[in-house]
Amino acid sequence: MPGTDAFDPANRNARFTRNLKALRGAPLRSRGFVAHGVLNRLAGMTLEAAGCEAPVGSRCLVMQNDGRAAETEVVGFAGGSLLLVATDELDGVTPGARVIPSRKVFEARAGLGLLGRVIDGAGEPLDGRGPLRCEDRIRLQPQTRNPLDRKPIREPLDVGVRSINALLTVGRGQRLGLFAGSGVGKSVLLGMMTRFTTADVIVVGLIGERGREVQDFVSQYLTAETRKRSVIIATPADRPPLVRVHSALLATSIAEYFRDRGKNVLLLMDSLTRVAQAQREIALAIGEPPVTKGYPVSVFAKLPQLVERAGNGGANGGSITAFYTVLTEGDDRNDPIADAARAVLDGHIVLSRDLAESGLYPAIDVEASISRLMPMITAPEHRELIRRFRQLNSTYAQNRDLITVGAYAKGSDPRVDEAMQHWPGIMRFLAQDSGTSVTLAQSVAALQTLLKPGERAVQ
């Protein structure tokens, strides 16, 4: 005869509760069924779904009135509800709409069929040339790579721009920021590097910019030969913020795909600031508090996670040399995103508005720019030439006002006299036509000719 506890109402209620919980979990965890939830809140970009479970990063479908499904991604949870952010338009979504967890993460196609194509942030073609012929699949969030597995950066990369080759030499596998305000020639410089850089594959991420710039970049800056080895991921500013973030991750994943197959990849991302702004929109929408000029903490955590994926591969792998443009709003170099980017990149190239307005292109401010790996990939003679150039350039800049108004008397300071003598040649050296490529060897030779290496700088 069963014990008396078996007939106790409290025990029966406890067993019933345990069984109910087990049944609720069984369809999801054991039997492969999918529990549908309902949409109980939509505020701005954030949706809340109750009655279903899904892991963070997975995709959910929200059914609309006309039978279409809007795709969303799980970005968090609170109080038993899933927090979703849409990657599609939400027109037609009503209260109580059915939410279907797919339990799948975003994947995109990859392969040689990507070369020469223009795709969007979802990996779908935009160029009207038919479907992608790619058999492989890649995820946006790969596994973390052991830093000791990376090859050291010891080989210079020819980018075809004289001032960068000679004065800010880039290493194959290096990551640099291109810091610029609006209208100072950032896109032109990116186009020059796209055409002139010696790379097996070029991956360009045009993220959060004007839609017109996509067509301009493809038609103006890509030659027929360059187009054959390029992949362009285009997501204009009018796309949802999650799609913009996905685009940056997708561009990096595609670059990793080719690097892991032994290719030397050039990754150009325009711009890192727009990616940070998209992540800010998502974080604020789900309730994360802002900390610095409206940017939540998660933004500053995402930036190194993104840029650390570039660089050299293992012993048998290729490399990703990455240039990330950083918009300095109001030409403020202490902008929080610019400051954070400087800390995680291997150098930065600053474009000056004053130089651009004076007619110098590319408007690279050599004094404010640095390549942190240059000492490891250049010869001592080359580094001495760079030191002399910077000394002359800085001396003239410090005395520019006196020289311009005629207040400086020649012979007063030998350093200033030498800087004045070399100044016209320095300006010619820094200027370069956007359609002309200057190799690394030609750049160093031009620097030697400019500074007459047989002479030493005045001490």
Side-chain angles (χ1 to χ4, degrees):
M1 181 176 180
T4 56
D5 288 346
F7 297 97
D8 186 1
N11 289 333
R12 288 200 303 271
N13 291 337
R15 288 197 304 273
F16 176 81
T17 301
R18 288 196 298 269
N19 292 337
L20 182 59
K21 289 181 178 179
L23 289 173
R24 283 176 174 172
L28 289 175
R29 289 186 284 268
S30 304
R31 304 179 188 177
F33 298 157
V34 177
H36 297 173
V38 294
L39 183 67
N40 58 16
R41 185 172 182 267
L42 169 58
M45 297 177 298
T46 308
L47 301 88
E48 290 188 14
C52 58
E53 296 180 5
V56 173
S58 64
R59 304 161 77 183
C60 293
L61 300 178
V62 179
M63 304 308 297
Q64 298 169 304
N65 276 341
D66 56 4
R68 294 181 297 116
E71 189 172 276
T72 64
E73 182 175 303
V74 181
V75 295
F77 48 85
S81 297
L82 296 180
L83 301 180
L84 313 173
V85 173
T87 59
D88 289 328
E89 298 298 331
L90 295 174
D91 296 340
V93 172
T94 59
R98 191 169 51 153
V99 178
I100 307 174
S102 68
R103 297 195 162 269
K104 296 180 180 179
V105 297
F106 181 83
E107 291 183 338
R109 287 161 287 185
L112 295 177
L114 285 173
L115 298 180
R117 304 301 301 269
V118 181
I119 61 177
D120 63 12
E124 298 299 328
L126 292 173
D127 49 17
R129 297 172 53 194
L132 299 175
R133 294 179 174 85
C134 302
E135 296 181 356
D136 296 330
R137 308 286 292 186
I138 55 175
R139 297 183 61 175
L140 299 186
Q141 299 285 0
Q143 294 182 349
T144 304
R145 180 184 293 270
N146 186 336
L148 296 180
D149 291 340
R150 294 181 182 269
K151 292 185 299 184
I153 299 173
R154 295 291 183 267
E155 181 183 353
L157 177 70
D158 187 349
V159 299
V161 181
R162 181 169 49 234
S163 53
I164 297 179
N165 279 340
L167 304 173
L168 302 164
T169 311
V170 178
R172 192 178 295 278
Q174 190 171 350
R175 302 158 306 178
L176 289 101
L178 188 59
F179 290 68
S182 57
V184 295
K186 167 177 57 66
S187 298
V188 176
L189 182 56
L190 283 179
M192 292 173 67
M193 289 190 289
T194 303
R195 293 195 304 272
F196 303 149
T197 300
T198 53
D200 300 323
V201 176
I202 300 169
V203 180
V204 182
L206 302 176
I207 302 164
E209 301 294 332
R210 294 178 290 271
R212 170 188 58 80
E213 293 181 337
V214 177
Q215 177 63 32
D216 289 348
F217 191 92
V218 174
S219 60
Q220 296 181 20
Y221 302 134
L222 293 182
T223 63
E225 185 62 31
T226 304
R227 180 78 178 267
K228 293 179 182 178
R229 55 191 176 101
S230 301
V231 185
I232 298 177
I233 299 91
T235 306
D238 61 344
R239 299 295 294 139
L242 188 59
V243 178
R244 283 176 264 150
V245 173
H246 279 180
S247 297
L249 299 174
L250 178 59
T252 307
S253 295
I254 291 173
E256 288 176 322
Y257 173 85
F258 286 106
R259 177 190 63 188
D260 294 343
R261 283 153 181 79
K263 303 295 185 182
N264 291 317
V265 182
L266 174 66
L267 172 62
L268 304 175
M269 190 171 294
D270 185 18
S271 72
L272 192 64
T273 303
R274 301 302 188 203
V275 177
Q277 290 173 347
Q279 178 61 34
R280 175 176 63 181
E281 293 178 46
I282 297 171
L284 293 177
I286 63 176
E288 188 177 341
V291 291
T292 305
K293 289 191 176 181
Y295 287 98
V297 173
S298 64
V299 173
F300 302 102
K302 289 286 186 181
L303 292 181
Q305 292 175 4
L306 178 65
V307 302
E308 277 295 326
R309 294 169 60 180
N312 284 339
N316 298 321
S319 66
I320 300 176
T321 306
F323 288 86
Y324 302 91
T325 65
V326 180
L327 300 176
T328 51
E329 298 182 5
D331 295 332
D332 179 13
R333 296 177 187 173
N334 294 319
D335 176 83
I337 299 303
D339 198 44
R342 275 194 296 267
V344 298
L345 295 172
D346 301 321
H348 51 271
I349 299 171
V350 178
L351 299 187
S352 166
R353 186 173 301 279
D354 291 339
L355 292 177
E357 290 175 348
S358 71
L360 177 66
Y361 288 99
I364 296 175
D365 186 344
V366 177
E367 285 189 272
S369 304
I370 187 172
S371 173
R372 293 195 177 109
L373 295 177
M374 186 179 62
M376 291 181 256
I377 57 176
T378 54
E381 298 81 7
H382 185 185
R383 295 197 292 273
E384 175 64 17
L385 291 173
I386 296 171
R387 187 190 69 81
R388 289 197 62 210
F389 183 98
R390 285 181 174 271
Q391 182 187 60
L392 294 171
N393 187 60
S394 177
T395 300
Y396 188 91
Q398 292 170 8
N399 296 273
R400 183 193 302 272
D401 292 341
L402 292 176
I403 297 171
T404 302
V405 300
Y408 175 77
K410 289 186 178 181
S412 301
D413 188 336
R415 289 175 178 269
V416 180
D417 292 341
E418 186 183 22
M420 291 175 62
Q421 178 186 355
H422 283 89
W423 186 248
I426 288 175
M427 296 302 290
R428 288 193 298 270
F429 179 86
L430 293 176
Q432 181 177 335
D433 183 80
S434 61
T436 303
S437 173
V438 182
T439 66
L440 179 59
Q442 292 171 339
S443 302
V444 177
L447 186 61
Q448 290 174 332
T449 302
L450 171 66
L451 299 179
K452 299 178 181 178
E455 303 178 3
R456 294 187 60 85
V458 177
Q459 300 298 321

